[in-house]
Amino acid sequence: MTVQTTSFLEIRNIEALYGQAILAVRDVSLKVDEGKIVALLGANGAGKTTTLKAISNLLGPERGKISRGSIHLQGESVSGLSASRLVAKGVVQVLEGRHCFPHLTVEENILAGGFVRKPSRADLLSSLEQVYGWFPRLREKRNTKAGLTSGGEQQMVAIGRALMTKPRLVLLDEPSMGLAPIIVQEIFEIIRTLNTRSGVSFLLAEQNANLALKYADYGYILENGRVALSGTAEELRAREDVHDFYLGGVRAARVN
Ligand code: ATP
């Protein structure tokens, strides 16, 4: 007998539109089990950001919407739930491009994430200490205006701010974008530590499949708004076609 387990997050057959006609996501289904790192891979424009924004109901400001399908958290439908209600249920989004408040200090930026929970001052400060524990660099820069820090530090601030909500799942869009390889590795190592030590799950949109599959448990590859392939990170790494197209293999080189 097979025992049916409920995934922490499950997206079933979603379709997302911008305006009335631009079909950005056609039929995407995916799952994130508790405690896992799942990579959402694909080229520029494949639909990764749209999928992540659809989960947190963030398509509206871009005149986008989910036109079909459903989203479930621990088996319960959360389709249409606002981003802040979803945060209260343990799912937080870190948008592509880092989005810090440039005129606020690093510490003020991080603290901004904590207020969503309406915590006590002691709780807020202990969460802040925890974030500094994960990102020691941010403690050193705590009084620096976020706009004056490096791209890597701003990405850490954005993740740190999200961690202030005490999430169970972080939806993280393109953390490596525009960053030096050594900083990217530092950030991914922190993601792995957060996952293994604190059990935080991640749904990670990345163009850099090679990198993401080193850290992920499972991966989905999007092409033109559809899931073209999925499998364990090990399976995807071993597939020659994936290697050629997404991991910098022979054909990718030829196409380039
Ligand atoms: P990237 O890595 O460039 O962010 P992506 O895989 O995240 O790519 P999306 O940003 O989700 O892809 O884009 C999917 C499709 O939707 C693309 O064809 C894109 O041009 C289109 N699209 C994205 N945002 C909008 C928008 N605000 N209005 C109209 N079309 C959009």
Side-chain angles (χ1 to χ4, degrees):
M1 192 179 83
T2 46
V3 180
Q4 192 101 36
T5 54
T6 308
S7 294
F8 185 66
L9 175 77
E10 186 174 353
I11 298 176
R12 295 187 198 144
N13 311 101
I14 61 163
E15 181 182 272
L17 288 169
Y18 290 104
Q20 294 304 316
I22 303 170
L23 195 53
V25 166
R26 287 152 201 267
D27 182 20
V28 168
S29 297
L30 63 82
K31 292 179 182 182
V32 182
D33 287 334
E34 183 113 52
K36 300 291 182 199
I37 300 180
V38 175
L40 188 58
L41 308 169
N44 212 338
K48 305 180 296 296
T49 298
T50 305
T51 303
L52 291 193
K53 284 189 172 171
I55 298 168
S56 295
N57 206 1
L58 291 171
L59 293 173
E62 302 193 46
R63 297 184 46 244
K65 65 172 185 201
I66 299 178
S67 40
R68 205 162 59 85
S70 58
I71 297 162
H72 302 263
L73 201 63
Q74 296 185 293
E76 179 197 341
S77 171
V78 290
S79 310
L81 216 60
S82 71
S84 58
R85 296 273 308 279
L86 210 57
V87 165
K89 288 184 174 290
V91 181
V92 69
Q93 176 122 201
V94 180
L95 293 168
E96 186 178 271
R98 315 193 259 272
H99 296 282
C100 293
F101 301 110
H103 300 297
L104 298 185
T105 65
V106 162
E107 186 154 300
E108 287 163 346
N109 266 278
I110 299 170
L111 285 171
F115 296 120
V116 182
R117 289 187 288 115
K118 302 189 178 71
S120 66
R121 189 172 161 74
D123 183 356
L124 197 66
L125 294 181
S126 105
S127 302
L128 179 67
E129 274 309 304
Q130 228 172 6
V131 170
Y132 285 146
W134 297 119
F135 299 99
R137 256 169 194 268
L138 298 185
R139 190 195 296 278
E140 290 164 29
K141 298 272 171 110
R142 65 200 298 171
N143 295 318
T144 306
K145 294 244 188 303
L148 299 177
T149 62
S150 69
E153 287 157 356
Q154 289 180 25
Q155 183 67 73
M156 292 176 194
V157 169
I159 298 173
R161 189 174 51 207
L163 294 176
M164 291 293 283
T165 67
K166 300 200 170 167
R168 292 170 70 186
L169 169 65
V170 180
L171 311 173
L172 186 52
D173 197 356
E174 209 88 43
S176 76
M177 195 173 67
L179 301 179
I182 188 149
I183 301 294
V184 170
Q185 196 180 337
E186 191 179 333
I187 288 172
F188 271 79
E189 288 296 333
I190 294 168
I191 290 170
R192 177 182 275 161
T193 312
L194 275 161
N195 173 255
T196 51
R197 294 224 194 117
S198 299
V200 181
S201 311
F202 286 87
L203 177 57
L204 200 73
E206 256 300 336
Q207 271 192 51
N208 187 338
N210 204 1
L211 171 79
L213 289 177
K214 274 192 199 139
Y215 291 87
D217 298 292
Y218 202 86
Y220 293 85
I221 299 180
L222 292 187
E223 259 178 32
N224 296 321
R226 285 199 174 88
V227 177
L229 263 179
S230 64
T232 64
E234 202 178 345
E235 281 163 2
L236 292 177
R237 277 195 308 261
R239 282 186 63 131
E240 207 172 307
D241 48 353
V242 172
H243 198 272
D244 286 352
F245 281 113
Y246 299 100
L247 305 183
V250 188
R251 264 187 286 175
R254 229 184 274 148
V255 168
N256 286 340

